[in-house]
Amino acid sequence: MAKSNRAETAARAAKLRAQEARKERQRKQVIAAVVAVVIVIAAVVIGVVVSNQPKPVPAATGGAAALATLEKLPASVFDSAPAPSPQQAPAKLAGGTALTENGKPKVLYIGAEYCPFCAMERWALIGALSRFGTFTGVGQTTSSSTDVHPDTPTFSFKGSTYTSDVVAFQAVETQDREGKPLETLDGENLALFQKFNPGGGIPWITYGGTHATDGATVDANAFEGKSYDQIIAGIKDPTSDIGKTVTPAINVITAQICAQTDNKPANVCTSQGVSAASVLLKR
């Protein structure tokens, strides 16, 4: 009888231990499940918070950044530029008369978006004119893919405006990148183009109606295969192939404009690079 009681007691104890063990396992499972849910909720909350944080603005690259840099190049870049070649200086127009707009000497550019030489010349023209005023609405494009020097990174003057206290600027982009008609060349602009550029080559730029350039004044080979970033980096480095041709062109264009604005603004027109380039205009 005693043995039977001890056995029953042992059995009940074993049963109680099994129940406690089972309860313990259940508690641990519940705790683990709760922890898992908390982790998931925390991850979701963190994800929402992070996604709602302001995204950092990526550094500007390509055409927009290149244009912004080109328009604000420091004088030190131009003052350390090589001397321009005689071929880069605008030629005097025989029989040319003053071209003005609102009492200011006018620079007239005639070109086209498909034209690779226009593409290259715009870099120098924008660089020079930005020393006298401000552009708005200049676009980004590349020259034709099927012409020489294909896909040259550049800008377009279509729809742009220019503001300056001392010089006026007008651009006519006659055709788009595909060679289709874009802006109309007519009136006084057409008459000047036909009179002084009967061959019809572009880019053609007249400075105040008395001087002009026909074709690019920069070395086309220096642009071959270059990106926007590489071109602007080259312009900032007067020892590079791009710098050796574009910065002197900017200086001589600036000098030509200064000759027609009575050397205004003085800080630009009397700068070292411009003064050196102006020697070419007196020959």
Side-chain angles (χ1 to χ4, degrees), residues 82-189:
S85 67
Q87 291 73 27
Q88 291 181 300
K92 187 172 183 179
L93 296 176
T97 57
L99 177 65
T100 63
E101 183 177 297
N102 297 325
K104 295 177 285 191
K106 176 179 171 180
V107 176
L108 171 65
Y109 157 94
I110 298 171
E113 291 182 347
Y114 76 83
C115 163
F117 301 104
C118 304
M120 300 165 194
E121 191 67 10
R122 289 190 201 97
W123 287 88
L125 187 58
I126 291 172
L129 284 168
S130 294
R131 305 175 82 177
F132 298 89
T134 305
F135 283 99
T136 302
V138 173
Q140 303 163 42
T141 188
T142 60
S143 65
S144 170
S145 298
T146 59
D147 209 326
V148 295
H149 309 292
D151 303 311
T152 298
T154 188
F155 310 98
S156 174
F157 291 123
K158 178 183 178 296
S160 67
T161 57
Y162 177 76
T163 305
S164 169
D165 292 333
V166 295
V167 64
F169 174 68
Q170 183 179 3
V172 183
E173 300 282 15
T174 59
Q175 293 172 275
D176 67 14
R177 187 173 178 272
E178 306 302 324
K180 298 176 182 178
L182 194 58
E183 295 180 323
T184 302
L185 178 62
D186 56 13
E188 181 183 46
N189 294 338

Side-chain angles (χ1 to χ4, degrees), residues 182-272:
L182 194 58
E183 295 180 323
T184 302
L185 178 62
D186 56 13
E188 181 183 46
N189 294 338
L190 177 60
L192 285 170
F193 186 71
Q194 292 177 332
K195 179 178 180 179
F196 294 110
N197 186 32
I202 54 175
W204 187 77
I205 307 170
T206 179
Y207 296 93
T210 59
H211 293 74
T213 57
D214 178 8
T217 63
V218 296
D219 180 5
N221 294 323
F223 285 80
E224 194 70 37
K226 297 291 193 304
S227 66
Y228 279 106
D229 292 344
Q230 290 171 324
I231 293 172
I232 195 62
I235 292 174
K236 291 167 63 178
D237 177 8
T239 66
S240 70
D241 289 342
I242 287 277
K244 288 177 183 177
T245 186
V246 176
T247 48
I250 291 175
N251 274 337
V252 78
I253 291 172
T254 303
Q256 180 63 63
I257 296 173
C258 284
Q260 294 166 317
T261 63
D262 295 326
N263 288 317
K264 297 174 184 176
N267 65 315
V268 171
C269 295
T270 60
S271 64
Q272 178 181 328

